[in-house]
Amino acid sequence: LAAAYTGGAVVGITDPLLSRIITAASTAIQSWLNRTIASTDYTEVRDGQNMPQMVLKNYPVTAVQTLTVQGLPIQPRPPYGPDVTSANFGGYVFDANRIMLSGYRFPRGFQNVIVQYTAGYATTPADVEQACIDIIGDWFKYRERIGLSSMGIDGQSVSFDRFLNGQMPNRAQMILKQYKRVAPMTP
């Protein structure tokens, strides 16, 4: 967009205040989510727990480049089909949240699993983008009412939205909750 409508005037993207608010809102969202939304490459060094699957820290997982267990490279499992035999059954598969082994487990050990993978969204989901726009709009208009929670003129009153945790509108937080990482990940 070349410009954004702010309720009273069209402001160019080069407007320094608006640029600063866009950057601050984007940073605040990712900090609050405790994760990165954009597709990014990751390397995780993890402890094996003697389980056949492992939940990865970042999601949605879109590709796995390498998997090394106890220093040995593990190959992707071939798809099931008429050519699959017990000799070529082993390997890994993955879904949006985890990597799974076929034929064996991640053996118990300290930092004995290394996974290199890609996770995140190629394009920002529309609802996350809208939440960011809501935050930007509220922060931009807030400069006109800093410190006010309500205002009255000629017998009429206006109340302003109270932010959860002081940084974003409730409606934006409700949208963003579904993308928030809530469980700490251990190595």
Side-chain angles (χ1 to χ4, degrees):
L1 294 172
Y5 182 71
T6 62
V10 174
V11 177
I13 287 299
T14 58
D15 181 284
L17 174 61
L18 189 57
S19 292
R20 194 170 78 234
I21 291 172
I22 290 169
T23 300
S26 298
T27 301
I29 286 171
Q30 292 202 119
S31 176
W32 188 81
L33 292 175
N34 196 24
R35 62 178 288 213
T36 301
I37 290 292
S39 183
T40 306
D41 291 331
Y42 298 96
T43 298
E44 287 187 32
V45 179
R46 304 284 298 277
D47 297 346
Q49 299 295 322
N50 199 32
M51 303 291 286
Q53 62 185 340
M54 182 175 286
V55 175
L56 297 173
K57 183 176 180 180
N58 302 285
Y59 59 93
V61 177
T62 57
V64 173
Q65 287 79 30
T66 63
L67 172 62
T68 305
V69 178
Q70 308 238 116
L72 300 172
I74 307 298
Q75 299 302 312
R77 185 192 75 199
Y80 288 124
D83 297 334
V84 174
T85 66
S86 61
N88 64 4
F89 176 72
Y92 71 84
V93 295
F94 66 92
D95 64 16
N97 299 315
R98 60 201 167 136
I99 189 163
M100 298 145 292
L101 295 176
S102 291
Y104 46 100
R105 297 171 172 263
F106 292 102
R108 190 172 301 280
F110 177 70
Q111 297 186 341
N112 61 336
V113 178
I114 302 171
V115 185
Q116 292 180 313
Y117 65 101
T118 303
Y121 298 91
T123 58
T124 302
D127 54 348
V128 172
E129 189 174 287
Q130 185 59 51
C132 187
I133 290 168
D134 287 350
I135 293 166
I136 291 165
D138 280 347
W139 286 3
F140 189 81
K141 293 299 283 181
Y142 181 72
R143 75 191 196 296
E144 298 170 2
R145 54 182 165 77
I146 292 174
L148 295 176
S149 59
S150 66
M151 180 171 58
I153 300 174
D154 290 331
Q156 295 184 357
S157 66
V158 176
S159 295
F160 303 109
D161 195 11
R162 295 194 179 264
F163 297 173
L164 295 175
N165 299 325
Q167 66 180 2
M168 66 179 69
N170 300 347
R171 65 186 175 277
Q173 276 199 19
M174 296 309 291
I175 290 168
L176 295 172
K177 275 185 183 180
Q178 65 185 322
Y179 296 95
K180 186 174 176 75
R181 181 183 310 142
V182 293
M185 296 298 295
T186 58

